[in-house]
C-alpha cells in the first residue's frame, strides 16, 4: 500500500493538472489560440529557464553521466528502427511515417521534468535525457516522414537542413547548454538574476501540463483506431518492458531510472501531429495516438512506478 501511495502521489498531481487545463478549455477560459501561445511560451521561455536554473546551480562534473546519455540515445535509436520494421506490416502503407513517429516520440521534456521534480524536488537527470533524445527525435522524424510520405517523392535535403538549424536554435537545447557552460565555468549568479530565472522557470511545469491537457480532443482518439492502438502499446508497454530491465542491469537507479521510464513510456508528443501535417500526412493516426497515450499513460506510468518502487529501484 505504501508503494502504491508513493506511485499515485508521483503521477496523479501531474495528470490532474492536465485535467485542469482540459476543464479550463471546456469552460471557455482557455481558447485554442491561447493554448497555442501557452505552448509556445513554455517551449521558448519557461522550460529553458527551468533547465538553465537547475543545471547552472549544480556542479557539471557531478551532473554529467556519459553512460546515461549513451544509453538514452541508443535505446531511442533502437525504438525508432523497431517501429520502422513493424510499420511494414501495415496494410495502408501511407500511414508508415505517422506510425513510426507516433511510436517513439515522447513528451519527454515536460513530463520528464514534471515527474522527477514531483518526486525528487529538481529536474535531476532529465536535462541529460533531453540532450540524448530531443535532437535525435527531430532528425529521425524528418527522415522517416520524408522517406515514407504518401507521395514517396524525392527526399528533401533542404527540409533536413532546416530541421538541423531548428535543433541548433532549439530553446530547450540552448537552455541546457547555457546552464552547462555556466556550471563548467563556475560563473557566479547574482541574487537578482537567480530569483528572476527561478520565477520564470517555476511556471514551466504547471503551465506546460495545463496546455497539454487543453490540447486533448477525445473524439480524435477513435480515428485509425487499430494502428493507433499498436502505436500506443509500443509506447506505453513494449519499449518499457524491453529497456527498463536493461537499464536496471546497467546500474541506473533513482532519478536516472525515472528519466528513462518517461523517455520510453510517456505519451506521444503533440508536436508529432504538427510535423506530420506539415509534411503532407493526413494526421489522423498521429492525433489518435496522442489522445490514447495521453489518457492511458496516467495508468501505465503509475503501474511502472509502482513496480520500480516495489523493487526498491527508485
Amino acid at each position: 500500500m505504501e508503494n502504491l501511495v508513493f506511485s499515485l502521489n508521483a503521477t496523479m498531481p501531474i495528470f490532474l493538472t492536465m485535467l485542469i487545463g482540459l476543464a479550463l478549455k471546456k469552460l471557455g477560459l482557455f481558447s485554442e489560440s491561447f493554448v497555442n501561445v501557452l505552448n509556445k511560451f513554455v517551449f521558448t521561455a519557461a522550460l529553458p529557464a527551468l533547465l538553465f536554473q537547475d543545471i547552472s546551480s549544480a556542479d557539471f562534473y557531478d551532473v554529467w553521466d556519459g553512460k546515461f546519455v549513451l544509453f538514452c540515445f541508443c535505446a531511442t535509436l533502437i525504438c525508432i528502427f523497431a517501429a520502422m520494421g513493424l510499420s511494414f506490416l501495415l496494410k495502408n502503407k501511407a500511414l508508415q511515417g505517422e506510425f513510426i513517429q507516433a511510436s517513439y516520440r515522447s513528451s519527454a521534456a515536460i513530463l520528464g521534468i514534471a515527474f522527477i521534480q514531483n518526486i525528487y524536488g529538481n529536474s535531476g537527470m532529465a536535462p541529460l535525457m533531453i540532450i540524448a533524445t530531443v535532437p535525435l527525435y527531430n532528425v529521425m522524424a524528418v527522415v522517416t516522414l520524408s522517406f515514407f510520405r504518401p507521395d514517396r517523392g524525392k527526399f528533401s535535403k533542404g527540409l533536413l537542413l532546416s530541421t538541423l538549424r531548428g535543433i541548433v536554435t532549439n530553446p530547450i537545447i540552448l537552455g541546457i547548454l547555457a546552464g552547462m557552460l555556466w556550471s563548467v565555468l563556475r560563473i557566479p549568479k547574482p541574487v537578482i538574476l537567480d530569483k528572476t530565472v527561478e520565477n520564470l522557470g517555476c511556471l514551466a511545469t504547471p503551465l506546460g501540463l495545463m496546455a497539454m491537457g487543453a490540447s486533448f480532443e477525445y473524439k480524435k482518439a477513435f480515428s485509425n483506431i487499430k494502428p493507433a492502438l499498436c502505436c500506443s502499446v509500443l509506447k506505453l508497454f513494449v519499449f518499457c518492458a524491453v529497456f527498463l530491465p536493461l537499464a536496471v542491469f546497467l546500474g541506473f537507479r533513482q532519478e536516472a531510472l525515472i528519466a528513462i521510464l518517461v523517455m520510453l513510456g510517456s505519451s506521444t508528443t503533440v508536436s508529432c501531429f504538427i510535423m506530420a501535417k506539415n509534411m503532407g500526412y493526413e494526421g489522423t493516426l498521429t492525433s489518435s495516438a496522442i489522445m490514447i497515450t495521453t489518457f492511458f499513460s496516467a495508468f501505465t506510468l503509475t503501474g511502472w512506478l509502482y513496480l520500480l518502487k516495489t523493487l526498491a529501484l527508485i
Side-chain angles (χ1 to χ4, degrees):
M1 180 59 70
E2 182 181 346
N3 292 337
L4 179 60
V5 170
F6 171 88
S7 304
L8 291 173
N9 285 338
T11 56
M12 286 303 103
I14 291 167
F15 290 101
L16 287 175
T17 304
M18 291 174 67
L19 286 177
I20 290 173
L22 178 61
L24 291 174
K25 187 178 181 183
K26 294 295 183 184
L27 292 171
L29 294 175
F30 279 12
S31 65
E32 187 172 347
S33 60
F34 176 75
V35 172
N36 292 334
V37 171
L38 196 58
N39 271 316
K40 187 174 182 180
F41 166 74
V42 171
F43 178 75
T44 59
L47 190 53
L50 173 63
L51 292 166
F52 170 81
Q53 177 71 4
D54 282 349
I55 297 174
S56 63
S57 301
D59 187 331
F60 171 79
Y61 300 102
D62 288 337
V63 171
W64 179 256
D65 187 337
K67 177 183 174 183
F68 174 78
V69 171
L70 184 62
F71 177 86
C72 291
F73 180 88
C74 292
T76 301
L77 194 60
I78 292 170
C79 290
I80 293 169
F81 284 117
M84 193 179 297
L86 290 171
S87 73
F88 287 98
L89 300 177
L90 293 172
K91 291 181 179 179
N92 186 355
K93 302 303 180 185
L95 297 176
Q96 280 186 276
E98 285 192 73
F99 178 89
I100 297 165
Q101 186 190 205
S103 296
Y104 79 81
R105 287 189 74 180
S106 299
S107 304
I110 292 290
L111 286 182
I113 291 169
F115 269 94
I116 297 174
Q117 271 191 327
N118 199 32
I119 297 171
Y120 298 107
N122 56 60
S123 62
M125 302 294 281
L128 295 183
M129 179 266 288
I130 292 170
I131 287 175
T133 58
V134 169
L136 183 61
Y137 281 167
N138 286 278
V139 170
M140 290 304 295
V142 172
V143 171
T144 55
L145 289 174
S146 297
F147 186 79
F148 292 103
R149 69 184 185 273
D151 58 10
R152 295 292 199 278
K154 186 178 179 181
F155 182 80
S156 173
K157 292 182 180 179
L159 184 58
L160 181 58
L161 290 174
S162 175
T163 300
L164 291 173
R165 276 196 301 272
I167 292 169
V168 173
T169 58
N170 185 304
I172 295 175
I173 300 297
L174 291 177
I176 292 172
L177 293 177
M180 291 172 65
L181 184 64
W182 208 281
S183 176
V184 168
L185 298 179
R186 292 185 168 89
I187 302 172
K189 253 195 304 188
V191 175
I192 294 174
L193 174 64
D194 189 56
K195 291 292 184 183
T196 302
V197 175
E198 184 180 355
N199 287 339
L200 179 60
C202 70
L203 299 173
T205 299
L207 292 183
L209 291 174
M210 283 191 284
M212 284 181 66
S215 301
F216 187 87
E217 297 178 37
Y218 63 90
K219 291 181 181 178
K220 291 184 179 179
F222 298 100
S223 303
N224 286 316
I225 191 67
K226 288 184 179 180
L229 283 174
C230 291
C231 286
S232 302
V233 170
L234 286 173
K235 194 80 203 62
L236 302 179
F237 293 103
V238 176
F239 292 149
C240 289
V242 171
F243 288 104
L244 281 178
L246 180 58
V248 172
F249 175 77
L250 292 174
F252 296 116
R253 300 290 187 275
Q254 304 299 323
E255 63 261 37
L257 205 53
I258 298 294
I260 291 169
L261 168 62
V262 174
M263 175 191 78
L264 295 168
S266 64
S267 57
T268 302
T269 179
V270 176
S271 60
C272 284
F273 176 76
I274 299 169
M275 184 171 284
K277 289 291 287 183
N278 288 337
M279 294 183 65
Y281 288 82
E282 186 181 0
T284 52
L285 169 58
T286 304
S287 62
S288 299
I290 291 169
M291 300 309 138
I292 294 170
T293 55
T294 298
F295 178 78
F296 285 103
S297 62
F299 306 98
T300 57
L301 284 174
T302 301
W304 287 115
L305 281 173
Y306 175 73
L307 177 63
L308 295 176
K309 182 64 175 177
T310 301
L311 297 173
L313 298 172
I314 57 175

